[in-house]
Amino acid sequence: MAGLRVIMSGVREKLEAVLNVALRVPSIMVLEMLYRWDVSSFFQQIQSRNNNNLLFQYKYLALNLHYVGYIISLVLLTLPRQHLVQLYLYVLTALLLYAGHQISRDFVRSEIAFGHDGPVYEEPLSLNRFTTALIGQLVVCTLCSFVMKTKQIWLFSAHLLPLLARFCMVPVEMLIIINRFAMIFTGLEVLYFLASNLLVPYKLAKLAYKELVQVVEVYGLLALGMSLWNQLVVPVLFMVFWLVLFALQIYSYFSTRDHPTSRERLLFLFLTSIAECCSTPYSLLGLMFTISFITLGVLTLCKFYLQGYGAFMNDNLMHRGMTEGITLLILAVQTGLIELQVVHRAFLLSIILFIVVASILQSMLEIADPIVLALGASRNKSLWKHFRAVSLCLFLLVFPAYMAYMISQFFQMDFWLLIIISSSVLTSLQVLGTLFIYILFMVEEFSKEPMENLDDVIYYVNGTYRLLEFLVALCVVAYGVAETILGEWTWMGSSIIFVHSYFNVWLRAQLGWKSFLLRRDAANKINSLPTATKEQLEEHNDICSICYQDMHSAVITPCSHFFHSACLKKWLYVQETCPFCHQQLKSQGQQVGATTVQGPGEQLPHNETRATQELVGQVDVPAGNDSVLALHSEDGLVEQKALNTDCSSLGNPGTGEHRCEQNGSQAGKIEFSHPAELCEDEDQQLSNTVEFQ
């Protein structure tokens, strides 16, 4: 029982969501019609045809009604769902009453035409008409009482009077008068209902104003806008509106055509229908949201194809389709799309749609690129996953190139088409680089030894694509600036050039330069570090702590840690510290006199200590001593690091000094004095400079 209630609750929520969208679409349709209707041109056409100045006098009245229609449509659009449902129920009741009176009028006309004044049951045809009309009127009355949620069915039974009069054998000529009386009575009922609810719109407006003021005072205008956006479900609402408009346009075309349409004609019909459905700001917004949802569906299918159901765990905000929709809107506004004729609008719209398709392909590549590279680097053995990733990359390699070829064949080349072609070619080149890196990963997986310069190869491949992308963006900016200076200057065009210059040129240049500097600094640091000899590697006899692979070659950090040079270089791209002990890795000039960051009780591995001693030319320390690390300094002193020290209570209580004993395997105990507070913290590193004789 509880499960059934949950299911019914879910169905009810879905139904309410559908009604919330469907009941608002007519309001946008009315706004669309009002925007397309030019009142001045309409009255000028009437005056030129009829030469009637009286109609032209009603022009200003029609203009006022035009603005009133805008206001009413906007009010209905923003009306809460429960009030909107109630309003549609009232409208449905009025339509049912009108249908009931139409049934009565048709019955009266048929009876007058038949001319039978006797009882209806004596004539089969008359009885059939009477029965049909009676059933229809009873259905209308029942539906009206159900919609208005009242049991007073007589309130909706005025249209039954002609039937009742005919059953009582009233003369046929009197049926017309009775039918008119029934219509007048129903009209009076409607007027009484409207008069009794005359103040309802004022009360609703007053209540809505109070709520809006409270929301603005507490949460602000942004919260109010987000609340209205979610309540009206604006993206879905405009998408449904545009799809309805497009379906009506297609239906009107095919309903007036008797012969079949060729394939080329269908393509032209498709473009012109889309062009007809983006001639106003409302339909243009509808097209934008429709493109956004189509893009979202394509990208969702792409992620599902690559990762299955796991693709829906981590949603990327950049892959929700809004980028492509906003791109279409910006290009349409910049080029003045809605002001063009249908044929020119269809041609310009085809170019804009090509740009949107190129953006969708780029978004698909942004989804596929990390997945493909992760499969190559993670040594995943699933052939099906590899097949899906590689097949999608092959599609993204071939389709943009084919699209660029078709554009160059069927369109006359200009700058915008050149941008589309260059973007498509760049997408194919980036896919080619991704596949090349994927192949390198797979080759490294099946090879016995890792590739030393793999990271550099990857950097050069990605850097080449980024450089080409930067040059294309720079050309776009240069052309836009030239067109703005030499051509027609607009705020919209200048704003778009500024945004494009900042995000696609300046930020990309900064990112590329920063990446170059990081790699250069990392390479300099790696080159400044000494390379471990064969004897040091054999004595170290350990793996690289970054990649966990055996080391046949390595570099040694100032803190005496061994790493692969390629692994350490990748680490230095992220931060300039040792991956093992997090000590700052300084340049070669700063390494003289550098100390290791090591706490008391923390013992360096034997091979690392020995390697460091041999590296800097230190005092000869016995092979078994892992506690003493002595480094030469310029003044003949060495800095003694006390590792594994035992602080005793010996010392001078008056001076507050302690004496620490450090055990050596062959050198015996070394004692040195230091302040007592240094021993209070167990993590405090103990050091004292002493002179060896």
Side-chain angles (χ1 to χ4, degrees), residues 185-445:
F185 182 79
T186 304
L188 291 175
E189 284 185 323
V190 173
L191 290 176
Y192 174 78
F193 176 80
L194 293 176
S196 61
N197 294 277
L198 188 61
L199 297 178
V200 172
Y202 170 75
K203 293 179 180 179
L204 289 177
K206 185 177 179 180
L207 181 61
Y209 176 76
K210 290 183 178 179
E211 292 180 356
L212 290 178
V213 170
Q214 291 178 357
V215 171
V216 171
E217 289 179 352
V218 176
Y219 302 103
L221 287 175
L222 182 61
L224 176 63
M226 294 299 297
S227 176
L228 290 176
W229 181 279
N230 295 328
Q231 178 184 350
L232 300 179
V233 201
V234 174
V236 179
L237 176 62
F238 274 91
M239 182 196 67
V240 173
F241 153 71
W242 191 87
L243 291 177
V244 171
L245 198 65
F246 182 73
L248 291 176
Q249 183 69 26
I250 296 294
Y251 174 77
S252 64
Y253 176 83
F254 282 105
S255 62
T256 56
R257 293 288 187 275
D258 297 331
H259 57 278
T261 307
S262 61
R263 185 177 63 180
E264 292 78 9
R265 185 68 181 175
L266 283 176
L267 179 60
F268 181 76
L269 168 65
F270 179 76
L271 289 176
T272 53
S273 299
I274 296 178
E276 285 283 357
C277 296
C278 60
S279 58
T280 66
Y282 311 105
S283 55
L284 185 60
L285 287 175
L287 179 60
M288 181 194 76
F289 287 114
T290 303
I291 293 296
S292 299
F293 277 102
I294 292 175
T295 305
L296 176 61
V298 172
L299 298 182
T300 302
L301 287 177
C302 176
K303 290 189 288 187
F304 180 75
Y305 178 73
L306 289 174
Q307 296 178 299
Y309 291 102
F312 305 103
M313 300 300 178
N314 298 321
D315 193 12
N316 193 338
L317 294 176
M318 295 300 296
H319 297 152
R320 291 184 177 178
M322 289 303 298
T323 303
E324 287 73 16
I326 293 175
T327 300
L328 182 141
L329 180 63
I330 292 175
L331 293 176
V333 173
Q334 184 185 12
T335 56
L337 182 68
I338 62 177
E339 300 174 359
L340 301 177
Q341 298 295 327
V342 176
V343 177
H344 297 87
R345 194 188 307 152
F347 176 77
L348 181 59
L349 190 62
S350 63
I351 297 177
I352 294 176
L353 290 178
F354 274 124
I355 296 176
V356 171
V357 171
S359 179
I360 293 175
L361 294 174
Q362 185 64 34
S363 298
M364 293 174 65
L365 180 58
E366 291 176 0
I367 294 173
D369 184 73
I371 297 175
V372 173
L373 296 182
L375 284 175
S378 63
R379 301 180 180 180
N380 193 295
K381 301 299 183 181
S382 176
L383 295 179
W384 175 234
K385 289 184 178 181
H386 285 269
F387 171 77
R388 289 183 296 180
V390 174
S391 61
L392 182 61
C393 284
L394 291 177
F395 169 77
L396 294 176
L397 175 66
V398 174
F399 184 78
Y402 175 75
M403 186 176 70
Y405 171 76
M406 296 299 293
I407 291 174
S408 62
Q409 291 293 320
F410 290 97
F411 291 94
Q412 185 178 1
M413 189 61 60
D414 61 2
F415 186 78
W416 289 106
L417 293 179
L418 184 61
I419 292 176
I420 300 174
I421 292 175
S422 60
S423 177
S424 301
V425 172
L426 284 176
T427 301
S428 297
L429 289 177
Q430 188 177 2
V431 174
L432 196 62
T434 300
L435 289 175
F436 180 71
I437 296 172
Y438 169 80
I439 293 173
L440 290 179
F441 282 154
M442 298 304 296
V443 170
E444 186 184 33
E445 177 183 351

Side-chain angles (χ1 to χ4, degrees), residues 30-46 56 59 62-63 66-67 70 280:
V30 174
L31 290 173
E32 175 81 7
M33 294 169 55
L34 290 174
Y35 188 90
R36 292 189 180 190
W37 184 38
D38 190 353
V39 180
S40 300
S41 301
F42 175 75
F43 275 92
Q44 287 178 0
Q45 292 177 0
I46 293 179
F56 193 74
K59 173 183 176 181
L63 284 174
H66 187 259
Y67 297 137
Y70 269 112
T280 66

Side-chain angles (χ1 to χ4, degrees), residues 93-160:
T93 303
L95 292 177
L96 289 173
L97 291 176
Y98 176 77
H101 284 286
Q102 284 294 110
I103 294 173
S104 297
R105 189 180 66 175
D106 294 341
F107 173 75
V108 171
R109 288 180 178 178
S110 61
E111 287 297 314
I112 292 175
F114 189 71
H116 177 68
D117 292 335
V120 294
Y121 53 82
E122 292 182 354
E123 181 64 34
L125 292 177
S126 180
L127 180 61
N128 186 23
R129 287 194 299 271
F130 180 81
T131 304
T132 304
L134 181 62
I135 293 174
Q137 297 289 20
L138 291 177
V139 171
V140 168
C141 293
T142 304
L143 289 176
C144 288
S145 61
F146 175 76
V147 170
M148 297 301 293
K149 297 179 181 180
T150 179
K151 295 182 180 180
Q152 298 177 353
I153 194 172
W154 60 270
L155 292 173
F156 314 102
S157 304
H159 46 264
L160 286 172

Side-chain angles (χ1 to χ4, degrees), residues 335-560:
T335 56
L337 182 68
I338 62 177
E339 300 174 359
L340 301 177
Q341 298 295 327
V342 176
V343 177
H344 297 87
R345 194 188 307 152
F347 176 77
L348 181 59
L349 190 62
S350 63
I351 297 177
I352 294 176
L353 290 178
F354 274 124
I355 296 176
V356 171
V357 171
S359 179
I360 293 175
L361 294 174
Q362 185 64 34
S363 298
M364 293 174 65
L365 180 58
E366 291 176 0
I367 294 173
D369 184 73
I371 297 175
V372 173
L373 296 182
L375 284 175
S378 63
R379 301 180 180 180
N380 193 295
K381 301 299 183 181
S382 176
L383 295 179
W384 175 234
K385 289 184 178 181
H386 285 269
F387 171 77
R388 289 183 296 180
V390 174
S391 61
L392 182 61
C393 284
L394 291 177
F395 169 77
L396 294 176
L397 175 66
V398 174
F399 184 78
Y402 175 75
M403 186 176 70
Y405 171 76
M406 296 299 293
I407 291 174
S408 62
Q409 291 293 320
F410 290 97
F411 291 94
Q412 185 178 1
M413 189 61 60
D414 61 2
F415 186 78
W416 289 106
L417 293 179
L418 184 61
I419 292 176
I420 300 174
I421 292 175
S422 60
S423 177
S424 301
V425 172
L426 284 176
T427 301
S428 297
L429 289 177
Q430 188 177 2
V431 174
L432 196 62
T434 300
L435 289 175
F436 180 71
I437 296 172
Y438 169 80
I439 293 173
L440 290 179
F441 282 154
M442 298 304 296
V443 170
E444 186 184 33
E445 177 183 351
F446 290 104
S447 63
K448 297 181 180 180
E449 296 182 358
M451 300 174 61
E452 290 290 338
N453 298 324
L454 179 60
D455 181 68
D456 292 333
V457 174
I458 295 173
Y459 176 76
Y460 292 138
V461 171
N462 291 330
T464 302
Y465 166 75
R466 296 301 178 187
L467 179 61
L468 293 175
E469 191 178 32
F470 173 77
L471 293 177
V472 171
L474 193 62
C475 293
V476 172
V477 171
Y479 176 81
V481 171
E483 189 179 50
T484 302
I485 296 175
L486 303 177
E488 184 178 357
W489 185 88
T490 59
W491 281 105
M492 178 62 68
S494 301
S495 302
I496 292 175
I497 292 174
F498 176 77
V499 172
H500 182 76
S501 302
Y502 179 74
F503 286 100
N504 293 336
V505 177
W506 175 249
L507 290 184
R508 286 182 181 179
Q510 278 190 326
L511 184 63
W513 183 249
K514 183 179 180 181
S515 175
F516 171 75
L517 292 180
L518 287 175
R519 293 188 65 88
R520 188 187 65 178
D521 293 343
N524 291 336
K525 285 185 173 61
I526 293 299
N527 294 332
S528 66
L529 296 177
T531 304
T533 63
K534 185 177 181 181
E535 292 76 12
Q536 289 174 331
L537 290 174
E538 292 177 355
E539 187 175 1
H540 181 73
N541 192 24
D542 202 353
I543 62 174
C544 175
S545 59
I546 298 178
C547 66
Y548 299 104
Q549 300 294 325
D550 294 333
M551 288 191 293
H552 302 288
S553 64
V555 293
I556 308 174
T557 63
C559 47
S560 307

